[in-house]
Amino acid sequence: MTPNAPENPELLVDAEIDEVPAAGPTRVSTKKGLVYLGICLVLIGFNLRTVFSSFSVVLPEITADAGLPGWSVVVLTTVPVTLLGVFAPLAPVLARRFGAERVLLGAMAVLTLGLLLRPVDFPVAGHLPALLAGTAACGAAIALCNVLLPGVVKRDFAHRLGLMGGLYTTAICASAALGAGFTYPVFRAAGHWTAALWFWALPAAVVLLLFLPLALRQPAVRHQLQVQGVNVWRSAVAWQVTVFMVLQAMMSFSVFAWLAPILRERGIDGGTAGLIVSVSIALQMLGSLFAPGLAARFTDQRAINVVVALMTGGGFALSIFGPVELAWLWTGLLGLGQGSLTAVALTMIMLRTREAHTAAHLSGMMQGLGYGLGSTGTLLVGQLHQATGGFAAAGILFLVVGALAAVFGYRAGRNRYVEG
């Protein structure tokens, strides 16, 4: 075991930890109310990845029907991920002013509106303005939820942290898997891609209505910021862990954005491609379930970081270059690798810090840079596809990214702590 590290590393970092007075638990009057809160939080997690995976599955139909220029496809697959990093630092600021519950409620409202806006066809202007504005709104809303939701789960369910943490993280993976698996069948049944995208506004709207009375009942308390912990921006260890996070994010969100188009370009029909991506993402759950506990059992994490980074980069490349008859195998390898890679990158937050305040600051640094710079993965895949007319160059790119992730994972996995 790593000294001073928990046996089960805690991935739910509290973004409100520096607030004075400390943020209190969500006010519920009964045990049933607490269960209701838990259901709402899990359902919020259930809506945090459908934006990414649903769009990619019907991307060829959207591009053809809406007449999208090449640059817009690149922007639409890149902007929401970029905004995850841009808006991440804003979440604690808004929580201090309005309370985490109200910010989550507002984020779900923006997410619902963004999902409703995406497929709108404006006279003369067409679909592109709504796609751009709706996608941007969704990215900003998801960024706020990404930052605040883990802390609320940790704060309100400290007595059931294993259960709620597992349900919350599983809901996020399920969100991506269902977005990939169900969007194309909805498209086939409805006959148009707009209905397939509108469909995902329904679960977001349901959660918004369920969470509305609970969030509005919370008292308005203004908090001040009292910074504690080391300055992570001055720590070499923090930068190594953050670059590791950036590289895994480059691959992770490229899977959501481009794996289905890659499979379809290789001759796999839309329904099967969506199902393959859905199963690959479901396998991410398996990797994310076991990898953190395995990583924490070792004195350092160099070996596991290298292995899962190479699995991910190799699985991505094989999905492009390997025999198409074995697509299920390549994408399965990619799913197991990516789920494990994401989980161990997040595990580094707790294994490389000594106390909760520093962990929260490292998490903020990793999310801001990880998502912001990680979006370059989807950007580069799109640009390479536009320039070459295929995905071969992207396959080479992710062999390089996977190798770099292995290098920085090796350095981040050494048994050291963030000191600033």
Side-chain angles (χ1 to χ4, degrees):
M1 281 294 297
T2 304
N4 301 323
E7 290 190 3
N8 295 305
E10 181 51 68
L11 303 185
L12 301 180
V13 178
D14 187 0
E16 301 174 276
I17 198 167
D18 289 327
E19 291 186 0
V20 178
T26 304
R27 290 192 179 180
V28 292
S29 56
T30 64
K31 187 174 181 179
K32 288 183 178 179
L34 188 63
V35 172
Y36 182 82
L37 170 64
I39 292 172
C40 288
L41 297 178
V42 171
L43 290 178
I44 290 174
F46 183 79
N47 284 273
L48 297 187
R49 295 294 181 269
T50 56
V51 169
F52 305 103
S53 55
S54 61
F55 181 80
S56 66
V57 171
V58 289
L59 182 58
E61 287 75 18
I62 296 173
T63 303
D65 181 69
L68 299 181
W71 65 265
S72 68
V73 175
V74 177
V75 170
L76 287 167
T77 53
T78 303
V79 163
V81 186
T82 303
L83 291 179
L84 296 185
V86 171
F87 279 85
L90 185 61
V93 178
L94 292 174
R96 286 194 295 273
R97 174 64 179 83
F98 301 103
E101 294 85 359
R102 284 187 171 87
V103 177
L104 286 173
L105 178 67
M108 288 306 301
V110 172
L111 178 61
T112 302
L113 291 174
L115 290 168
L116 289 171
L117 177 61
R118 278 200 304 175
V120 171
D121 184 8
F122 288 115
V124 181
H127 284 285
L128 184 56
L131 280 169
L132 290 170
T135 299
C138 291
I142 293 169
L144 300 179
C145 294
N146 276 347
V147 175
L148 294 179
L149 192 56
V152 175
V153 171
K154 181 176 182 179
R155 183 187 71 197
D156 291 336
F157 295 93
H159 59 301
R160 291 288 185 271
L161 206 50
L163 173 62
M164 280 299 297
L167 289 174
Y168 157 74
T169 52
T170 300
I172 292 179
C173 282
S175 171
L178 292 175
F182 279 89
T183 301
Y184 197 82
V186 174
F187 160 72
R188 291 293 298 271
H192 204 273
W193 62 268
T194 54
L197 293 190
W198 265 319
F199 174 81
W200 297 107
L202 178 61
V206 169
V207 179
L208 174 64
L209 294 176
L210 289 174
F211 194 54
L212 178 65
L214 190 61
L216 292 182
R217 283 203 304 266
Q218 302 310 306
V221 178
R222 290 204 179 193
H223 300 268
Q224 301 297 319
L225 178 63
Q226 181 179 355
V227 177
Q228 299 183 40
V230 302
N231 186 343
V232 296
W233 296 89
R234 296 179 180 177
S235 168
V237 176
W239 279 104
Q240 290 159 9
V241 172
T242 298
V243 174
F244 185 44
M245 177 70 173
V246 169
L247 294 167
Q248 80 80 21
M250 288 180 68
M251 293 188 281
S252 178
F253 285 97
S254 294
V255 169
F256 294 149
W258 292 108
L259 184 55
I262 286 169
L263 296 175
R264 295 192 65 178
E265 191 167 284
R266 300 203 67 192
I268 298 174
D269 68 271
T272 303
L275 182 60
I276 291 174
V277 175
S278 181
V279 171
S280 179
I281 295 172
L283 287 173
Q284 290 187 22
M285 299 185 206
L286 187 61
S288 65
L289 179 63
F290 292 105
L294 180 62
R297 290 182 177 274
F298 295 102
T299 303
D300 64 48
Q301 293 72 43
R302 287 177 290 183
I304 189 172
N305 287 358
V306 169
V307 169
V308 296
L310 294 178
M311 281 178 62
T312 305
F316 203 108
L318 285 168
S319 298
I320 296 173
F321 297 124
V324 70
E325 296 81 7
L326 298 177
W328 287 95
L329 177 61
W330 312 138
T331 56
L333 176 68
L334 173 59
L336 285 172
Q338 186 65 68
S340 301
L341 178 60
T342 302
V344 296
L346 292 172
T347 303
M348 292 299 103
I349 295 173
M350 300 310 299
L351 296 181
R352 297 284 84 88
T353 56
R354 297 182 187 274
E355 45 82 30
H357 290 274
T358 303
H361 298 162
L362 179 58
S363 176
M365 178 181 178
M366 288 175 63
Q367 289 203 58
L369 294 180
Y371 292 134
L373 297 180
S375 65
T376 58
T378 60
L379 174 65
L380 288 171
V381 173
Q383 288 183 325
L384 289 171
H385 185 263
Q386 290 293 318
T388 64
F391 287 107
I396 296 172
L397 168 68
F398 283 103
L399 284 175
V400 174
V401 173
L404 288 173
V407 170
F408 280 93
Y410 183 91
R411 295 183 66 83
R414 292 177 293 176
N415 184 22
R416 300 181 302 157
Y417 292 95
V418 173
E419 307 286 356

